[in-house]
Amino acid sequence: SQAVQQRCWVENQTEQRVSQEYVFRVNQEYLPLCRFFAYVSSLGALETFSTREEGGQFFEVLHEITDRETHTKAKAKIQYNNRIKHTFKVTTGWQTRAEFDRSADFFRSDQRFIIEDGELKPIIITTKKAGERLPWKHLQQTVFEYQYAED
């Protein structure tokens, strides 16, 4: 792993700590198909995290169905207003328990975005259940599907 860890805290003029210690861990490892997400947390702050593309993208096929009478007066179903919606699946990869638990705030948020080309693009989470835990190995990851809100 190519993670760099930096510890910091606030000191007063006499070099006494006046805050708790914060640890920032920067993973410099190349991650193919990396996606960056942002959301407004329950505390009102803009939070970010990264994921990897898990299963790529697929189409959700949307349509309407109605009954229609045919030329022989028989009833038949007809499908109309056919369209597709792109859906993407991503994973955070294996996380610490604290990182996994923090991801719940992302799913509670009313304002979720994907960051692309420096812009925040609104998304909709389509997953009903997110995450996976392997408690006997103390591993967990967050896996979810999303769609662009403006498609």
Side-chain angles (χ1 to χ4, degrees), residues 23-60:
V23 179
F24 295 92
R25 187 172 164 259
V26 179
N27 185 352
Q28 297 175 333
E29 176 184 2
Y30 171 71
L31 300 173
L33 304 172
C34 193
R35 304 275 186 267
F36 296 95
F37 292 87
Y39 64 99
V40 177
S41 75
S42 57
L43 298 175
L46 188 64
E47 299 282 348
T48 61
F49 66 96
S50 65
T51 65
R52 297 185 242 324
E53 191 170 319
E54 164 86 354
Q57 67 173 321
F58 52 95
F59 298 121
E60 180 179 348

Side-chain angles (χ1 to χ4, degrees), residues 8-20:
C8 65
W9 54 86
V10 176
E11 295 179 347
N12 63 16
Q13 293 89 352
T14 62
E15 297 183 8
Q16 290 180 312
R17 285 188 191 185
V18 293
S19 75
Q20 68 185 49

Side-chain angles (χ1 to χ4, degrees), residues 1 4 20 28 31-32 36 44-45 47 68-69 74 96 98 106 113-114 126 140-141:
S1 174
V4 175
Q20 68 185 49
Q28 297 175 333
L31 300 173
F36 296 95
E47 299 282 348
R68 181 176 184 187
E69 195 172 282
T96 66
F106 170 72
F113 309 92
I114 187 166
T126 58
Q140 44 273 324
Q141 65 179 336

Side-chain angles (χ1 to χ4, degrees), residues 3 18 45 66-67 73 79-80 92 108 121 129 135 147:
V18 293
T66 190
D67 289 327
K73 305 282 186 212
Q79 183 176 319
Y80 66 98
T92 57
R108 283 192 295 263
K121 296 183 179 181
K129 293 182 180 179
Q147 297 174 339

Side-chain angles (χ1 to χ4, degrees), residues 51-96:
T51 65
R52 297 185 242 324
E53 191 170 319
E54 164 86 354
Q57 67 173 321
F58 52 95
F59 298 121
E60 180 179 348
V61 180
L62 307 168
H63 57 268
E64 317 257 344
I65 296 178
T66 190
D67 289 327
R68 181 176 184 187
E69 195 172 282
T70 66
H71 66 282
T72 62
K73 305 282 186 212
K75 292 278 187 184
K77 297 223 180 277
I78 185 168
Q79 183 176 319
Y80 66 98
N81 197 15
N82 300 308
R83 57 210 185 280
I84 58 172
K85 187 99 170 152
H86 294 275
T87 301
F88 304 87
K89 185 175 183 180
V90 293
T91 178
T92 57
W94 297 112
Q95 305 169 296
T96 66

